[in-house]
Amino acid sequence: MTEPHNADQDGFPAPMTGREVDPSTMRTFRSFRETQRTQRIARAVLALFFVLLGLYTVRGFLPSLIWGCVFAIASWPLYARARRRWNGRAHKTLLPLLFTLAIAFIFIGPLALFGLEAGREAEGVLRFLNEARHAGIPVPQWLNHLPYGQRAITALWNEHLKNPADVSALLGSMNIGQSVKVTQQLGSQVLHRVLLFAFAILTLFFLLKDGDSVIRQSLNVSRRAFGKRGERIALQMIASVHGSVSGLVLVGIGEGMLMAVAYLVAGAPHPFLFGVVTAIAAMIPFCAFIAISAVALMLLIKTGALFGAMAIILLGMAVIFLADHLVRPALIGGSTQLPFLWVLAGILGGAESWSLLGLFMGPAIMAVLHMLWLNWSRARY
């Protein structure tokens, strides 16, 4: 006597478990299972095809999407705190809009300051070039304070820059047509960057506005695809982005503020503007020294204050050493328990591979790799 057939989850009768098995039923069941397997593979291939097609379609805006995600992750704790304090459905759109405008102003403000200062300096540069064509460029006073090479540099200066005819020949040798072409390419690049920045800010607004839904859907997808370990990887990446923002952006702003005060005390030109430049350069490890050295050199050229320039360089070296070796590793590595070597490799390697975006992507990738390494290297008995 044979056992009755049991229906499987797809509604198709399962094969009999007794000794007698109907061959036609088994063939039909195997054919059904093979059809199901083929359909699953076809669906996976079709889904992968559309994912790749979608990435190819938006490939030009992928950096903007990633920047929007970085901005959203960095500002989400403060936004969530403000939303709890400012509760109400009427502010569901207004609060994300205010946060988006505030973050946009953080970037637009320094750029506007650069534009104003560049416009003011352009008139002075044109006036300087006009005077140089007619009277030459006199030997600056700061050359007299150099400890070495004073005579050789002064002789070269008198030979090539003091005579108005030599200055006119030097300026006339510049290719005006090539300069116009470079200016057009620069304008096109600036317009493209402005468009990408606007798209990143728009992405930030919608991520803040629909953040709860995006988080819930991302967690569901992660758990379905990778289980609990996928959620741990996502949390590790988010913690790394938070640490990178604190360690790079906030520490860079702190360095810029300290050096702006030093520039002001030393009498450097445009101390606030060059403080902003130093803050931006300080977001990349070891790059702040370039901006500080440029300010010290400019101070030496314009005022001849040798001791002031040396004081700026010495103070800048001290600030950079403390920030890059103590504060920054503690903020970035402390949030993810990432060693300093991994942090430094992620920042520098990310900056080389992903440009400015790599400052945040690099530590996040290294944090995930460090977590996987700890899981794989853990002894199991």
Side-chain angles (χ1 to χ4, degrees):
M1 182 175 179
T2 59
E3 296 180 0
H5 291 269
N6 296 323
D8 64 359
Q9 61 180 358
D10 297 313
F12 194 84
M16 293 182 297
T17 58
R19 295 181 179 179
E20 297 181 4
V21 179
D22 188 0
S24 62
T25 303
M26 287 300 301
R27 285 194 298 270
T28 305
F29 180 79
R30 290 170 181 170
S31 176
F32 178 76
R33 288 300 185 186
E34 291 177 359
T35 302
Q36 275 192 326
R37 189 182 303 111
T38 304
Q39 289 177 349
R40 284 196 297 267
I41 295 175
R43 287 195 299 267
V45 171
L46 184 63
L48 180 61
F49 170 75
F50 277 103
V51 168
L52 295 177
L53 187 63
L55 293 176
Y56 178 79
T57 303
V58 300
R59 66 189 185 280
F61 292 92
L62 281 179
S64 298
L65 292 173
I66 299 176
W67 272 119
C69 294
V70 170
F71 294 156
I73 292 174
S75 59
W76 183 258
L78 185 61
Y79 170 76
R81 189 182 308 171
R83 189 178 58 178
R84 287 192 299 267
R85 181 172 299 180
W86 195 13
N87 196 9
R89 296 183 61 86
H91 307 305
K92 188 177 180 181
T93 303
L94 181 59
L95 190 59
L97 181 62
L98 292 177
F99 264 79
T100 303
L101 293 177
I103 294 177
F105 180 76
I106 293 175
F107 294 92
I108 295 176
L111 291 177
L113 180 63
F114 279 123
L116 291 175
E117 292 294 337
R120 294 174 182 174
E121 293 293 335
E123 183 180 357
V125 171
L126 293 176
R127 188 185 308 111
F128 172 78
L129 292 177
N130 187 33
E131 294 176 356
R133 285 179 181 273
H134 295 85
I137 304 176
V139 179
Q141 295 295 325
W142 59 269
L143 281 179
N144 299 324
H145 301 283
L146 291 179
Y148 302 102
Q150 175 184 350
R151 293 183 179 179
I153 296 176
T154 303
L156 289 174
W157 194 289
N158 290 330
E159 182 179 355
H160 297 285
L161 297 177
K162 191 173 183 179
N163 191 351
D166 295 334
V167 177
S168 299
L170 178 63
L171 296 177
S173 63
M174 297 180 180
N175 192 343
I176 303 300
Q178 185 68 22
S179 301
V180 173
K181 184 178 179 180
V182 170
T183 303
Q184 292 176 349
Q185 293 177 352
L186 180 61
S188 177
Q189 287 294 323
V190 169
L191 182 61
H192 180 65
R193 302 298 177 186
V194 169
L195 180 61
L196 292 180
F197 177 74
F199 193 79
I201 291 299
L202 187 64
T203 303
L204 170 65
F205 170 75
F206 284 105
L207 286 177
L208 292 179
K209 180 177 178 293
D210 303 320
D212 293 330
S213 177
V214 172
I215 293 174
R216 183 174 60 253
Q217 293 173 5
S218 300
L219 287 176
N220 291 336
V221 172
S222 175
R223 290 168 181 169
R224 179 175 297 179
F226 307 107
K228 286 291 184 180
R229 292 189 177 182
E231 184 176 347
R232 288 179 55 196
I233 291 176
L235 293 176
Q236 187 80 350
M237 293 185 68
I238 291 173
S240 178
V241 171
H242 282 299
S244 300
V245 171
S246 301
L248 297 176
V249 178
L250 298 183
V251 173
I253 292 175
E255 290 184 47
M257 292 175 63
L258 288 175
M259 294 312 301
V261 175
Y263 299 156
L264 181 63
V265 173
H270 311 293
F272 179 73
L273 175 63
F274 286 110
V276 174
V277 174
T278 305
I280 295 174
M283 294 179 188
I284 304 175
F286 313 115
C287 285
F289 185 73
I290 300 176
I292 294 172
S293 300
V295 175
L297 181 61
M298 187 174 299
L299 176 64
L300 181 63
I301 292 174
K302 287 197 171 184
T303 64
L306 180 61
F307 292 103
M310 292 180 60
I312 287 178
I313 291 181
L314 293 177
L315 178 62
M317 291 176 62
V319 171
I320 293 173
F321 180 82
L322 293 176
D324 289 346
H325 292 81
L326 296 178
V327 181
R328 186 165 283 163
L331 290 176
I332 300 179
S335 60
T336 57
Q337 302 301 319
L338 197 62
F340 174 70
L341 182 61
W342 290 62
V343 173
L344 187 61
I347 294 174
L348 298 180
E352 181 181 2
S353 303
W354 299 73
S355 65
L356 189 60
L357 187 61
L359 296 177
F360 306 96
M361 293 293 296
I365 295 173
M366 298 305 292
V368 173
L369 291 177
H370 182 251
M371 186 186 69
L372 294 176
W373 171 258
L374 292 180
N375 291 335
W376 291 337
S377 61
R378 187 179 296 117
R380 291 180 174 86
Y381 300 98

mmCIF file of all heavy atoms in Angstrom, residues 120-142:
data_model
loop_
_atom_site.group_PDB
_atom_site.id
_atom_site.type_symbol
_atom_site.label_atom_id
_atom_site.label_comp_id
_atom_site.label_asym_id
_atom_site.label_seq_id
_atom_site.Cartn_x
_atom_site.Cartn_y
_atom_site.Cartn_z
ATOM 1 N N ARG A 120 38.553 90.758 -6.687
ATOM 2 C CA ARG A 120 39.308 91.905 -6.175
ATOM 3 C C ARG A 120 40.775 91.828 -6.584
ATOM 4 O O ARG A 120 41.390 92.850 -6.921
ATOM 5 C CB ARG A 120 39.201 91.958 -4.654
ATOM 6 C CG ARG A 120 37.792 92.251 -4.148
ATOM 7 C CD ARG A 120 37.747 92.132 -2.641
ATOM 8 N NE ARG A 120 36.407 92.351 -2.122
ATOM 9 C CZ ARG A 120 36.067 92.191 -0.843
ATOM 10 N NH1 ARG A 120 36.982 91.828 0.036
ATOM 11 N NH2 ARG A 120 34.816 92.410 -0.464
ATOM 12 N N GLU A 121 41.334 90.611 -6.558
ATOM 13 C CA GLU A 121 42.744 90.469 -6.894
ATOM 14 C C GLU A 121 42.987 90.577 -8.395
ATOM 15 O O GLU A 121 44.103 90.905 -8.814
ATOM 16 C CB GLU A 121 43.264 89.117 -6.389
ATOM 17 C CG GLU A 121 43.295 88.993 -4.877
ATOM 18 C CD GLU A 121 44.319 89.928 -4.249
ATOM 19 O OE1 GLU A 121 45.293 90.298 -4.947
ATOM 20 O OE2 GLU A 121 44.139 90.286 -3.078
ATOM 21 N N ALA A 122 41.975 90.294 -9.215
ATOM 22 C CA ALA A 122 42.173 90.337 -10.667
ATOM 23 C C ALA A 122 42.542 91.742 -11.128
ATOM 24 O O ALA A 122 43.417 91.922 -11.987
ATOM 25 C CB ALA A 122 40.916 89.853 -11.380
ATOM 26 N N GLU A 123 41.880 92.752 -10.554
ATOM 27 C CA GLU A 123 42.193 94.128 -10.928
ATOM 28 C C GLU A 123 43.625 94.486 -10.546
ATOM 29 O O GLU A 123 44.357 95.126 -11.325
ATOM 30 C CB GLU A 123 41.218 95.083 -10.237
ATOM 31 C CG GLU A 123 41.422 96.542 -10.622
ATOM 32 C CD GLU A 123 40.431 97.453 -9.923
ATOM 33 O OE1 GLU A 123 39.563 96.938 -9.184
ATOM 34 O OE2 GLU A 123 40.527 98.685 -10.117
ATOM 35 N N GLY A 124 44.063 94.054 -9.376
ATOM 36 C CA GLY A 124 45.434 94.318 -8.958
ATOM 37 C C GLY A 124 46.455 93.603 -9.841
ATOM 38 O O GLY A 124 47.516 94.154 -10.152
ATOM 39 N N VAL A 125 46.134 92.385 -10.261
ATOM 40 C CA VAL A 125 47.052 91.645 -11.130
ATOM 41 C C VAL A 125 47.180 92.336 -12.480
ATOM 42 O O VAL A 125 48.286 92.475 -13.030
ATOM 43 C CB VAL A 125 46.565 90.191 -11.292
ATOM 44 C CG1 VAL A 125 47.369 89.472 -12.370
ATOM 45 C CG2 VAL A 125 46.683 89.449 -9.970
ATOM 46 N N LEU A 126 46.059 92.798 -13.049
ATOM 47 C CA LEU A 126 46.111 93.501 -14.327
ATOM 48 C C LEU A 126 46.905 94.796 -14.217
ATOM 49 O O LEU A 126 47.682 95.150 -15.118
ATOM 50 C CB LEU A 126 44.688 93.781 -14.820
ATOM 51 C CG LEU A 126 43.868 92.541 -15.217
ATOM 52 C CD1 LEU A 126 42.447 92.957 -15.601
ATOM 53 C CD2 LEU A 126 44.526 91.793 -16.368
ATOM 54 N N ARG A 127 46.722 95.502 -13.104
ATOM 55 C CA ARG A 127 47.475 96.739 -12.907
ATOM 56 C C ARG A 127 48.970 96.443 -12.764
ATOM 57 O O ARG A 127 49.820 97.161 -13.312
ATOM 58 C CB ARG A 127 46.956 97.462 -11.657
ATOM 59 C CG ARG A 127 47.544 98.862 -11.483
ATOM 60 C CD ARG A 127 47.111 99.512 -10.186
ATOM 61 N NE ARG A 127 45.666 99.498 -10.007
ATOM 62 C CZ ARG A 127 45.039 98.767 -9.101
ATOM 63 N NH1 ARG A 127 45.744 97.983 -8.285
ATOM 64 N NH2 ARG A 127 43.739 98.805 -8.993
ATOM 65 N N PHE A 128 49.286 95.369 -12.053
ATOM 66 C CA PHE A 128 50.694 94.988 -11.885
ATOM 67 C C PHE A 128 51.332 94.621 -13.223
ATOM 68 O O PHE A 128 52.477 95.008 -13.515
ATOM 69 C CB PHE A 128 50.782 93.815 -10.905
ATOM 70 C CG PHE A 128 52.151 93.212 -10.790
ATOM 71 C CD1 PHE A 128 53.136 93.839 -10.046
ATOM 72 C CD2 PHE A 128 52.461 92.019 -11.432
ATOM 73 C CE1 PHE A 128 54.402 93.284 -9.946
ATOM 74 C CE2 PHE A 128 53.716 91.466 -11.339
ATOM 75 C CZ PHE A 128 54.694 92.097 -10.588
ATOM 76 N N LEU A 129 50.601 93.880 -14.077
ATOM 77 C CA LEU A 129 51.146 93.498 -15.375
ATOM 78 C C LEU A 129 51.339 94.718 -16.273
ATOM 79 O O LEU A 129 52.329 94.803 -17.024
ATOM 80 C CB LEU A 129 50.220 92.479 -16.048
ATOM 81 C CG LEU A 129 50.134 91.098 -15.383
ATOM 82 C CD1 LEU A 129 49.132 90.224 -16.117
ATOM 83 C CD2 LEU A 129 51.496 90.427 -15.339
ATOM 84 N N ASN A 130 50.410 95.655 -16.195
ATOM 85 C CA ASN A 130 50.535 96.868 -17.012
ATOM 86 C C ASN A 130 51.758 97.684 -16.583
ATOM 87 O O ASN A 130 52.517 98.204 -17.422
ATOM 88 C CB ASN A 130 49.260 97.694 -16.897
ATOM 89 C CG ASN A 130 49.240 98.863 -17.845
ATOM 90 O OD1 ASN A 130 49.777 98.787 -18.958
ATOM 91 N ND2 ASN A 130 48.636 99.968 -17.429
ATOM 92 N N GLU A 131 51.964 97.814 -15.271
ATOM 93 C CA GLU A 131 53.138 98.538 -14.790
ATOM 94 C C GLU A 131 54.428 97.806 -15.143
ATOM 95 O O GLU A 131 55.453 98.436 -15.445
ATOM 96 C CB GLU A 131 53.033 98.734 -13.276
ATOM 97 C CG GLU A 131 51.900 99.653 -12.846
ATOM 98 C CD GLU A 131 51.773 99.744 -11.336
ATOM 99 O OE1 GLU A 131 52.542 99.004 -10.656
ATOM 100 O OE2 GLU A 131 50.931 100.517 -10.847
ATOM 101 N N ALA A 132 54.380 96.472 -15.116
ATOM 102 C CA ALA A 132 55.583 95.708 -15.447
ATOM 103 C C ALA A 132 55.961 95.871 -16.910
ATOM 104 O O ALA A 132 57.153 95.873 -17.253
ATOM 105 C CB ALA A 132 55.366 94.236 -15.115
ATOM 106 N N ARG A 133 54.974 96.014 -17.787
ATOM 107 C CA ARG A 133 55.273 96.217 -19.204
ATOM 108 C C ARG A 133 56.010 97.537 -19.445
ATOM 109 O O ARG A 133 56.828 97.646 -20.364
ATOM 110 C CB ARG A 133 53.981 96.205 -20.020
ATOM 111 C CG ARG A 133 53.373 94.823 -20.233
ATOM 112 C CD ARG A 133 52.092 94.930 -21.032
ATOM 113 N NE ARG A 133 51.462 93.652 -21.247
ATOM 114 C CZ ARG A 133 51.755 92.833 -22.271
ATOM 115 N NH1 ARG A 133 52.667 93.194 -23.156
ATOM 116 N NH2 ARG A 133 51.142 91.680 -22.406
ATOM 117 N N HIS A 134 55.691 98.560 -18.637
ATOM 118 C CA HIS A 134 56.257 99.893 -18.875
ATOM 119 C C HIS A 134 57.474 100.196 -18.006
ATOM 120 O O HIS A 134 58.335 100.990 -18.411
ATOM 121 C CB HIS A 134 55.189 100.979 -18.626
ATOM 122 C CG HIS A 134 54.048 100.924 -19.598
ATOM 123 N ND1 HIS A 134 52.957 100.098 -19.416
ATOM 124 C CD2 HIS A 134 53.843 101.574 -20.781
ATOM 125 C CE1 HIS A 134 52.109 100.248 -20.414
ATOM 126 N NE2 HIS A 134 52.625 101.142 -21.266
ATOM 127 N N ALA A 135 57.547 99.607 -16.819
ATOM 128 C CA ALA A 135 58.638 99.951 -15.908
ATOM 129 C C ALA A 135 59.426 98.753 -15.417
ATOM 130 O O ALA A 135 60.401 98.915 -14.679
ATOM 131 C CB ALA A 135 58.094 100.718 -14.699
ATOM 132 N N GLY A 136 59.029 97.546 -15.825
ATOM 133 C CA GLY A 136 59.714 96.364 -15.329
ATOM 134 C C GLY A 136 59.284 96.011 -13.915
ATOM 135 O O GLY A 136 58.452 96.693 -13.302
ATOM 136 N N ILE A 137 59.876 94.954 -13.402
ATOM 137 C CA ILE A 137 59.558 94.505 -12.048
ATOM 138 C C ILE A 137 60.783 94.749 -11.174
ATOM 139 O O ILE A 137 61.830 94.122 -11.368
ATOM 140 C CB ILE A 137 59.184 93.012 -12.028
ATOM 141 C CG1 ILE A 137 58.026 92.749 -12.981
ATOM 142 C CG2 ILE A 137 58.812 92.566 -10.614
ATOM 143 C CD1 ILE A 137 57.650 91.286 -13.089
ATOM 144 N N PRO A 138 60.691 95.660 -10.220
ATOM 145 C CA PRO A 138 61.864 95.952 -9.383
ATOM 146 C C PRO A 138 62.187 94.790 -8.458
ATOM 147 O O PRO A 138 61.349 93.934 -8.162
ATOM 148 C CB PRO A 138 61.432 97.191 -8.595
ATOM 149 C CG PRO A 138 59.937 97.118 -8.563
ATOM 150 C CD PRO A 138 59.526 96.485 -9.858
ATOM 151 N N VAL A 139 63.404 94.778 -7.988
ATOM 152 C CA VAL A 139 63.851 93.731 -7.064
ATOM 153 C C VAL A 139 63.123 93.899 -5.737
ATOM 154 O O VAL A 139 63.127 94.981 -5.150
ATOM 155 C CB VAL A 139 65.376 93.808 -6.853
ATOM 156 C CG1 VAL A 139 65.827 92.740 -5.865
ATOM 157 C CG2 VAL A 139 66.091 93.644 -8.179
ATOM 158 N N PRO A 140 62.435 92.862 -5.246
ATOM 159 C CA PRO A 140 61.711 93.005 -3.975
ATOM 160 C C PRO A 140 62.660 93.136 -2.796
ATOM 161 O O PRO A 140 63.811 92.675 -2.821
ATOM 162 C CB PRO A 140 60.896 91.706 -3.900
ATOM 163 C CG PRO A 140 61.648 90.739 -4.747
ATOM 164 C CD PRO A 140 62.267 91.536 -5.851
ATOM 165 N N GLN A 141 62.142 93.760 -1.756
ATOM 166 C CA GLN A 141 62.971 94.026 -0.583
ATOM 167 C C GLN A 141 63.300 92.762 0.203
ATOM 168 O O GLN A 141 64.330 92.702 0.883
ATOM 169 C CB GLN A 141 62.246 95.025 0.334
ATOM 170 C CG GLN A 141 62.062 96.401 -0.276
ATOM 171 C CD GLN A 141 63.399 97.100 -0.515
ATOM 172 O OE1 GLN A 141 64.337 96.934 0.262
ATOM 173 N NE2 GLN A 141 63.461 97.889 -1.587
ATOM 174 N N TRP A 142 62.453 91.741 0.110
ATOM 175 C CA TRP A 142 62.682 90.561 0.929
ATOM 176 C C TRP A 142 63.908 89.777 0.490
ATOM 177 O O TRP A 142 64.432 88.945 1.250
ATOM 178 C CB TRP A 142 61.457 89.649 0.922
ATOM 179 C CG TRP A 142 61.039 89.158 -0.447
ATOM 180 C CD1 TRP A 142 60.163 89.740 -1.285
ATOM 181 C CD2 TRP A 142 61.504 87.975 -1.108
ATOM 182 N NE1 TRP A 142 60.027 89.014 -2.436
ATOM 183 C CE2 TRP A 142 60.852 87.916 -2.343
ATOM 184 C CE3 TRP A 142 62.412 86.966 -0.766
ATOM 185 C CZ2 TRP A 142 61.059 86.893 -3.253
ATOM 186 C CZ3 TRP A 142 62.612 85.935 -1.673
ATOM 187 C CH2 TRP A 142 61.950 85.900 -2.893
#
